[in-house]
Amino acid sequence: MHELVTFVQVVDAGSFSAAARQQGMTPSAVSRQVARLEKMMGVALFQRTTRQLRLTEAGLDVLEHGRKMVAAARATLQAAEGHAGAPRGLVRMSAPKAFARHVLQPVLLQFLARYPEVDVHLMVVDRLVDPLREGVDLVIRLTDTPPPGMVARPLLPVRQCLLASPDYLASHGAIDHPEDLMSHSCLTLGEEERDDRWRFLSGSQVAEIIVTGRCAVNHSEMRLAAIEAGLGVGCVPDFVARESLAAGRVVRLLPEWTVDSNYQGVAYLLFPASRHIAPKMRVLIDHLAGALQSPPS
């Protein structure tokens, strides 16, 4: 294999002496390695002249296959290096859209600046991702029941906030119980027929109502903008609402009630169980856990 690598380097460098300089060898040592390769193969690889090297027909064939073998060997070494030593290589992960935009993005930017040898391919989707079938290393999923057979590291709790603007409440009246929402304009997702059925929990109490409204939008930031504009009452995840609540653009309603929604629970970091976790994955897992396990102030 050393002889084949040397042969490829001689061709790429254009001469025995240039290849020798690249390898830290003498030109005679490089020439001997190529001669051994020719002897093993039983063919001449070069037509040697006083001015330049020319490949024989056999040499051209060997070069084509040799480059593929050298590239494969280098890729194998790089793959092995990704599982030992310093963190480097590509990590593929997925996360829900709103969570990725509001929570994950700044943390990932910090990580990429801190680990310049690690690349991240982030797949932003709201559907359930199967890490084994889809070749994803890390999955962030919002759930109260992480799937069996996976390592599940909790990152932070996620809850839905029921919101309205101060101007809307001033003109439409206070909301003290979920049933009051039936007389208000409510913003739904508009994805499924049951999206107009809102369910609330408070201890042992359960309230399920049918709401109506002028606007339905399945994008949390656009729904928040509609709420701020006074179009009605709506729900968005707490991490989407945080800035608007702090600025007083919206008011949280019925805080003693929990909105029963699929888009809440705990944000878990999921990955297949393994005795050996590559350094590139370990540093990303630790970085995400360190940055997100305590909710932002």
Side-chain angles (χ1 to χ4, degrees):
M1 185 63 184
H2 293 298
E3 291 82 1
L4 184 60
V5 172
T6 299
F7 165 67
V8 172
Q9 287 184 329
V10 168
V11 175
D12 290 341
S15 69
F16 284 91
S17 57
R21 286 193 297 271
Q22 291 177 2
Q23 294 197 53
M25 301 168 60
T26 63
S28 60
V30 171
S31 180
R32 286 194 298 271
Q33 286 199 11
V34 173
R36 282 199 298 270
L37 182 63
E38 290 177 320
K39 184 177 180 180
M40 285 188 291
M41 293 187 169
V43 294
L45 301 176
F46 290 109
Q47 293 177 347
R48 292 168 173 82
T49 68
T50 56
R51 293 189 176 183
Q52 63 181 351
L53 293 174
R54 289 184 179 178
L55 287 169
T56 63
E57 185 176 351
L60 288 170
D61 288 340
V62 172
L63 177 64
E64 179 182 356
H65 294 288
R67 278 184 170 151
K68 292 178 181 178
M69 293 177 64
V70 171
R74 286 173 178 166
T76 301
L77 291 175
Q78 290 173 355
E81 288 173 357
H83 293 274
R88 62 169 58 89
L90 175 64
V91 180
R92 296 176 176 86
M93 66 180 302
S94 71
K97 294 178 182 178
F99 187 91
R101 170 65 183 88
H102 289 271
V103 179
L104 191 58
Q105 183 181 35
V107 178
L108 273 184
L109 292 177
Q110 294 170 358
F111 173 82
L112 291 169
R114 184 176 178 183
Y115 295 96
E117 297 298 318
V118 181
D119 301 331
V120 176
H121 178 182
L122 177 62
M123 183 168 61
V124 181
V125 291
D126 283 334
R127 63 176 176 81
L128 294 181
V129 173
D130 185 332
L132 297 177
R133 184 173 58 84
E134 300 185 51
V136 178
D137 302 303
L138 302 174
V139 172
I140 292 180
R141 184 176 299 173
L142 305 183
T143 181
D144 286 320
T145 55
M150 301 284 289
V151 178
R153 289 193 64 170
L155 296 178
L156 77 164
V158 175
R159 292 291 177 262
Q160 289 284 329
C161 293
L162 185 69
L163 308 171
S165 70
D167 289 344
Y168 176 87
L169 294 174
S171 59
H172 291 80
I175 298 173
D176 300 315
H177 189 275
E179 292 181 355
D180 296 339
L181 292 169
M182 290 188 289
S183 61
H184 284 263
S185 177
C186 296
L187 290 81
T188 65
L189 271 67
E191 293 179 330
E192 301 176 3
E193 185 177 348
R194 287 186 55 84
D195 282 347
D196 61 354
R197 294 179 180 270
W198 289 6
R199 193 166 184 264
F200 296 85
L201 308 173
S202 180
S204 59
Q205 300 182 73
V206 178
E208 185 169 339
I209 59 172
I210 297 178
V211 299
T212 59
R214 299 177 53 205
C215 181
V217 56
N218 64 348
H219 189 285
S220 59
E221 288 179 279
M222 295 178 67
R223 198 160 56 253
L224 177 62
I227 297 169
E228 291 179 349
L231 286 179
V233 181
C235 294
V236 299
D238 50 9
F239 54 77
V240 175
R242 188 174 294 116
E243 183 179 334
S244 292
L245 283 168
R249 295 192 295 270
V250 294
V251 177
R252 185 168 186 176
L253 307 174
L254 307 178
E256 67 278 12
W257 290 84
T258 298
V259 182
D260 190 11
S261 167
N262 292 330
Y263 202 99
Q264 66 179 1
V266 175
Y268 281 96
L269 184 61
L270 307 175
F271 50 96
S274 173
R275 293 178 58 189
H276 303 288
I277 298 178
K280 61 183 180 180
M281 284 183 56
R282 172 56 61 196
V283 292
L284 181 53
I285 292 168
D286 291 344
H287 181 85
L288 294 176
L292 299 180
Q293 278 183 333
S294 296
S297 58

